[in-house]
Amino acid sequence: MSLLSVVVPAYNEEKMISKAAYTIGEILDNAQITYEIVFVDDGSKDRTWEQIEKTAKEDPHISGVHFSRNFGKESAMMAGLANAKGECCAVMDCDLQHPPETLVEMYRLWEQGYEVIEGIKRSRGKESTLHSICAGTFYKMISKASKIDMTHASDFKLLDRGAVDALLEMPERNSFFRAMSAWIGFRSTSVEFDVQERTEGESKWSTRSLIQYALTNIVSFSSMPMQIVTFAGILVFFMAVILGVQTLVKYFLGHAVEGFTTVILLILFIGSMIMISLGVIGYYISKIYEEVKGRPRYLISKKIESKVEE
């Protein structure tokens, strides 16, 4: 039977490593699916790597990758795929909010010939109203920019080896796995799942990190913010034309142009637009600078190979 590699990024998840390995393994064993689990320690500050080493000694299906420092979840997923041995690879969260039972359904669809099986969120579980609004806004923006519906997208998906190789060949350092895995095409389908509640620990995503994550991914995968700057400039130009015509009409009619407050407000408005535009352009330039340097997406300090035969 073909080998399934399950890539599990982990950051400060010492309480979940053993539980995730046991839960995923039990489900795949019951389904008679040959598998390996690739844990990627994204520079954790707790005992996550020690737990991965301990679990690997007890279970031959476990392999591990340890980063030299924290490089981010996107890099962890790509590292897991690069070190996976399976004919197909699934990516899921270590906190088991992605239900492992869905892996079996994904694998059966892969056996039917599908090359990309997307996990679609039926429900998002318990989260704050602000988080839901921000997440919805982000996915609407990235969907419009990429022309791909990502409203209910997630990192939970299964890819054929050909799709994995296509992803790994993409050279950009600032990768956005959810969008890239949809962009590559291939024969695709989807399965729905309900986001499960975390049983151990707490989410590592703060509001600030989520906003940074959203900005980075929008800029790395879309030029839409630059287009917004252009449209804003056009809008300001038309406003200037209207005010200019109004001023000339009053001048030729012999009326003095009044409105010192209006002038100040216009200067502040136009100045703000210029500074925001420079900020957006500067952010794109900084990302270009990161790409041009050509540094690796991640650095691996330690590895553990699974003992499962390919």
Side-chain angles (χ1 to χ4, degrees):
M1 183 175 285
S2 299
L3 177 65
L4 165 64
S5 295
V6 183
V7 175
V8 185
Y11 178 68
N12 293 345
E13 294 285 5
E14 62 177 335
K15 296 180 180 179
M16 287 299 302
I17 297 299
S18 178
K19 184 174 182 179
Y22 174 78
T23 304
I24 296 170
E26 183 180 37
I27 290 170
L28 295 179
D29 278 332
N30 291 337
Q32 297 183 337
I33 297 174
T34 306
Y35 70 94
E36 68 166 351
I37 302 175
V38 185
F39 285 105
V40 183
D41 179 16
D42 186 18
S44 299
K45 298 177 181 179
D46 61 2
R47 299 179 61 254
T48 296
W49 180 248
E50 286 79 359
Q51 288 297 317
I52 293 173
E53 289 181 316
K54 178 182 176 182
T55 307
K57 290 177 181 178
E58 300 170 353
D59 188 345
H61 296 88
I62 305 300
S63 66
V65 175
H66 180 54
F67 283 174
S68 61
R69 65 169 179 83
N70 178 251
F71 284 92
K73 185 180 180 182
E74 298 293 326
S75 295
M77 289 187 287
M78 299 304 288
L81 293 174
N83 286 274
K85 300 185 292 186
E87 286 84 357
C88 60
C89 304
V91 177
M92 65 178 294
D93 288 348
C94 188
D95 55 19
L96 298 182
Q97 289 190 294
H98 295 156
E101 298 84 1
T102 309
L103 288 172
V104 178
E105 185 179 356
M106 289 179 167
Y107 186 83
R108 300 307 178 205
L109 287 169
W110 174 76
E111 288 182 318
Q112 296 174 24
Y114 290 101
E115 296 166 295
V116 178
I117 298 91
E118 302 273 353
I120 303 297
K121 295 177 181 177
R122 185 186 296 113
S123 64
R124 301 185 62 91
K126 294 181 180 179
E127 57 184 23
S128 66
T129 303
L130 177 62
H131 186 280
S132 297
I133 293 173
C134 292
T137 302
F138 165 66
Y139 285 116
K140 285 179 182 177
M141 291 176 64
I142 199 68
S143 295
K144 187 172 182 180
S146 62
K147 304 297 187 295
I148 301 169
D149 184 11
M150 299 187 63
T151 308
H152 302 286
S154 72
D155 293 325
F156 188 27
K157 56 193 68 187
L158 185 146
L159 307 171
D160 179 75
R161 172 50 59 181
V164 171
D165 291 341
L167 275 178
L168 296 175
E169 287 174 2
M170 298 172 75
E172 58 258 43
R173 299 298 180 267
N174 293 301
S175 55
F176 183 22
F177 177 70
R178 298 185 193 185
M180 289 168 61
S181 59
W183 180 87
I184 59 174
F186 291 88
R187 188 184 179 196
S188 305
T189 188
S190 63
V191 297
E192 292 186 336
F193 71 94
D194 295 308
V195 176
Q196 306 298 302
E197 293 301 316
R198 173 187 279 268
T199 58
E200 298 285 349
E202 57 185 21
S203 175
K204 309 305 182 296
W205 291 95
S206 64
T207 301
R208 179 180 178 181
S209 60
L210 284 170
I211 292 173
Q212 181 64 38
Y213 178 75
L215 288 174
T216 300
N217 288 328
I218 289 173
V219 169
S220 67
F221 203 76
S222 168
S223 61
M224 185 176 65
M226 297 283 281
Q227 296 169 4
I228 291 175
V229 169
T230 302
F231 289 133
I234 294 172
L235 176 63
V236 172
F237 170 75
F238 281 116
M239 290 175 61
V241 170
I242 293 171
L243 288 172
V245 171
Q246 181 188 32
T247 301
L248 289 173
V249 169
K250 286 187 175 183
Y251 174 79
F252 287 117
L253 290 177
H255 299 291
V257 178
E258 300 178 355
F260 181 74
T261 302
T262 303
V263 172
I264 294 298
L265 290 175
L266 284 173
I267 292 174
L268 291 173
F269 174 72
I270 294 173
S272 298
M273 289 298 301
I274 291 173
M275 295 305 295
I276 291 171
S277 301
L278 288 175
V280 172
I281 294 169
Y283 197 73
Y284 270 93
I285 292 174
S286 71
K287 293 304 174 184
I288 294 172
Y289 175 62
E290 291 178 8
E291 294 289 337
V292 168
K293 285 189 293 187
R295 291 179 181 174
R297 288 173 176 160
Y298 51 82
L299 294 174
I300 296 174
S301 60
K302 299 175 184 177
K303 286 177 65 174
I304 301 171
E305 295 288 344
S306 68
K307 299 176 179 62
V308 180
E309 294 184 3
E310 298 182 50

